[in-house]
Amino acid sequence: MKFRNPILTGLAVMSFGMMVGASPATPASAKTYKSVPRSIRGYYISKRAHEALAISSKHVVEAWPLADAYQSTVTKVKNSGHKYSIRAYIMLGGRNYTTYKLSHYAHNRLASGGYSFQKVSKHTYSKFLNSWKYVRG
């Protein structure tokens, strides 16, 4: 096979190489939201971690039995498969940003920081936070 114009052939090969190399850096399944998706909103407790989470569309509340609770305001949520990365801030003399990394590994269950969180009702969430039983360990 004999090419008549090697310059045009070279340009065609280079343009094809540029198209292949211009693939997106993030996977196609990664999505970014301004609020928390409905699939992970709710009340969660972890008896092993002695911690509770309340996740709404714009807020994440971290709470501990008979102790403090901190409410963070959500700025962006990144979702890739069953993994969620929630970027939020809390006002403590200024904006302090944090990222919650959650894995939605089973129906009504989240994993965060090496602990498993079970989705519960608001009543069970309140009972967990107001009980001495979970403070003593």
Side-chain angles (χ1 to χ4, degrees):
M1 180 170 172
K2 190 173 188 180
F3 293 108
R4 295 188 187 261
N5 193 345
I7 295 173
L8 289 176
T9 305
L11 286 173
V13 168
M14 285 178 29
S15 65
F16 178 73
M18 290 174 65
M19 287 187 335
V20 171
S23 63
T26 58
S29 63
K31 297 177 184 170
T32 303
Y33 304 102
K34 290 186 178 184
S35 64
V36 178
R38 288 182 187 218
S39 60
I40 62 169
R41 291 183 199 170
Y43 299 95
Y44 295 89
I45 62 171
S46 174
K47 293 180 182 177
R48 288 195 66 199
H50 303 290
E51 187 177 354
L53 294 173
I55 303 172
S56 67
S57 64
K58 285 292 187 185
H59 299 286
V60 176
V61 178
E62 277 186 290
W64 296 268
L66 299 175
D68 291 338
Y70 295 104
Q71 179 176 332
S72 301
T73 304
V74 174
T75 57
K76 128 177 127 169
V77 179
K78 201 179 246 185
N79 173 15
S80 180
H82 295 289
K83 305 228 183 258
Y84 293 87
S85 179
I86 301 174
R87 183 80 170 148
Y89 68 89
I90 187 168
M91 294 298 289
L92 293 171
R95 285 189 178 191
N96 295 309
Y97 286 90
T98 187
T99 302
Y100 298 97
K101 295 189 183 240
L102 305 173
S103 176
H104 192 212
Y105 70 92
H107 184 66
N108 293 333
R109 290 191 182 266
L110 293 176
S112 177
Y115 292 103
S116 175
F117 288 83
Q118 172 69 41
K119 192 172 193 176
V120 295
S121 66
K122 187 175 182 179
H123 174 74
T124 305
Y125 173 82
S126 288
K127 192 174 175 183
F128 174 79
L129 291 177
N130 294 317
S131 175
W132 277 102
K133 181 168 107 178
Y134 300 108
V135 174
R136 291 181 288 178

